[in-house]
Amino acid sequence: MSQTRSLMRLERLLETFLEQVVATKQERLSVLRGINRLDDLTRESDQGLDITEHVGEWFAEHNRWLNEPQLRAGDINRIAPMLSKIRESLDNRGDESAASMKIRSEIARWEPKARQASQKLVLRRGPEGVEPQPSRPPETPTAEQSTGQPEGEETIARLDSVLGRMQRLFTGLSHGRKHVLSALDSALRSATMQRQKDALLLSGFIIYYLKQNGYKVEPYVKRLKEAERLIREEA
Amino acid sequence: MLSPHEKAYCQALLALRQKEYAKAETCFGQAAEHYRENREFMILWETTRVLLAVKRELAGLPKEERDKIDIEEAFSRG
């Protein structure tokens, strides 16, 4: 086989490989494209540019994500602060146009999705063998109440679910970071700005882990307490 | 917001989807500092680099030679 022929075969082989990788990631790439576009718009709005029309187009294209499962918790944790920032710049500009009001209402539609990524942990009884305190507020009904699971197993299932969400959150926050401190910083920001309880729990866990490994954690503890206060106030 | 490295990786993947290999290579390069430990990233980056090198090599060949190969391939496939 001539060198030219070998090169052409290799070219075709490499192109096919890349095409197939892209094909297997089609859905993920479409999510990334949407997040990247929103990120561009957020930056433009930060620079004071009028992006109302483009954000409207973004919602028109991506609002279906609200009802479809392709978004990961990490994606929502990316999208939510961008939308907050866009709303903030609309507020700063004092833009009360109909288009801008529409954008605000679209952003509001995304808020439950952001909250859903950080569902609350509701402990409905104390540890085994301890009677519930009579002074406690009424317990929040949960989906598990209708599953017929015994309460003890229910608490384990709930913690298991929270740990799973924290793991996914950590994967999202640490993606592309060089140090766990960067992931902690992002987690604390999510807890503070988006009042995300999972992010708060994850921050607490990382802080304790760092403390055990000899890091100075005081500044982070302060931020954790502040985030905790904000979340408590909002609850 | 996305960090510049995340954005670059994302743009690299989108460029691959569009078969804009030179753009993908540039974007991979911009993201590399943060993704060198990521195996998938490295495989995609290296593959893109090799592909571009092959394309450059082929572009340096006389046109007649490439055309000849195309004709031969067409015949060999019937």
Side-chain angles (χ1 to χ4, degrees):
Chain A
M1 193 188 293
S2 74
Q3 192 192 353
T4 311
R5 188 186 291 251
S6 303
L7 282 171
M8 290 178 80
R9 290 217 167 148
L10 180 57
E11 179 189 36
R12 210 165 294 146
L13 179 76
L14 294 170
E15 278 185 344
T16 306
F17 171 73
L18 290 172
E19 278 165 20
Q20 287 180 358
V21 170
V22 168
T24 60
K25 291 175 174 296
Q26 205 59 267
E27 196 176 88
R28 197 68 208 131
L29 279 173
S30 136
V31 170
L32 284 178
R33 189 179 143 269
I35 294 176
N36 188 44
R37 175 71 184 133
L38 186 64
D39 186 69
D40 288 341
L41 292 173
T42 310
R43 285 166 202 273
E44 287 171 16
S45 105
D46 235 14
Q47 291 161 10
L49 300 173
D50 182 8
I51 50 151
T52 320
E53 193 185 327
H54 297 303
V55 177
E57 287 164 4
W58 189 90
F59 279 123
E61 192 179 343
H62 299 103
N63 265 351
R64 63 190 163 83
W65 284 352
L66 286 170
N67 306 312
E68 292 173 7
Q70 66 260 57
L71 285 190
R72 298 174 183 170
D75 299 330
I76 300 167
N77 291 331
R78 295 302 170 104
I79 291 170
M82 292 179 197
L83 293 178
S84 300
K85 243 179 169 330
I86 289 172
R87 182 169 47 198
E88 203 179 295
S89 40
L90 288 176
D91 291 345
N92 290 343
R93 287 213 318 265
D95 190 343
E96 298 295 331
S97 65
S100 155
M101 297 311 283
K102 172 82 177 143
I103 299 294
R104 284 191 180 88
S105 75
E106 293 290 358
I107 292 175
R109 281 182 66 199
W110 277 76
E111 278 166 0
K113 186 87 176 171
R115 256 181 255 126
Q116 189 188 325
S118 63
Q119 284 171 356
K120 288 179 181 174
L121 172 68
V122 183
L123 291 176
R124 292 189 285 118
R125 50 165 275 183
E128 279 84 347
V130 178
E131 288 300 313
Q133 297 292 314
S135 59
R136 282 186 180 180
E139 292 155 0
T140 312
T142 65
E144 284 85 340
Q145 276 181 325
S146 58
T147 63
Q149 274 186 324
E151 283 191 329
E153 285 180 21
E154 192 178 305
T155 60
I156 290 168
R158 276 188 163 272
L159 179 57
D160 190 47
S161 154
V162 171
L163 289 172
R165 291 204 307 272
M166 278 166 56
Q167 169 68 62
R168 287 192 291 278
L169 181 60
F170 180 70
T171 304
L173 294 174
S174 60
H175 185 62
R177 308 284 176 161
K178 273 190 162 174
H179 200 284
V180 69
L181 285 174
S182 307
L184 171 59
D185 180 63
S186 298
L188 283 167
R189 252 187 291 137
S190 297
T192 308
M193 294 169 72
Q194 297 163 37
R195 316 286 196 262
Q196 269 199 36
K197 199 154 184 179
D198 283 349
L200 181 79
L201 292 170
L202 176 63
S203 305
F205 176 83
I206 298 175
I207 288 171
Y208 189 65
Y209 166 83
L210 290 172
K211 190 176 178 218
Q212 291 301 309
N213 286 284
Y215 283 83
K216 285 196 167 201
V217 294
E218 287 75 15
Y220 296 102
V221 172
K222 267 189 189 170
R223 289 176 62 189
L224 182 78
K225 284 185 176 167
E226 174 62 11
E228 188 183 22
R229 185 184 64 78
L230 290 168
I231 289 174
R232 204 173 36 234
E233 277 175 11
E234 196 171 273
Chain B
M1 287 195 283
L2 300 179
S3 75
H5 304 96
E6 287 169 321
K7 210 168 171 57
Y9 191 3
C10 181
Q11 281 165 342
L13 292 172
L14 296 172
L16 280 188
R17 186 163 72 170
Q18 301 300 319
K19 301 188 182 179
E20 296 172 357
Y21 299 113
K23 183 180 174 188
E25 206 274 329
T26 307
C27 294
F28 279 129
Q30 288 162 353
E33 190 189 331
H34 279 246
Y35 289 97
R36 273 185 200 282
E37 306 301 317
N38 183 319
R39 281 181 62 199
E40 184 178 288
F41 173 88
M42 290 307 291
I43 289 170
L44 292 174
W45 188 21
E46 292 299 338
T47 307
T48 308
R49 279 184 357 189
V50 175
L51 175 60
L52 285 170
V54 170
K55 281 181 181 294
R56 271 193 299 272
E57 194 71 24
L58 281 169
L61 292 173
K63 190 173 177 300
E64 304 81 58
E65 196 165 345
R66 289 200 70 159
D67 290 347
K68 189 177 145 204
I69 296 287
D70 284 341
I71 292 163
E72 279 177 16
E73 294 257 318
F75 276 118
S76 68
R77 286 174 195 175

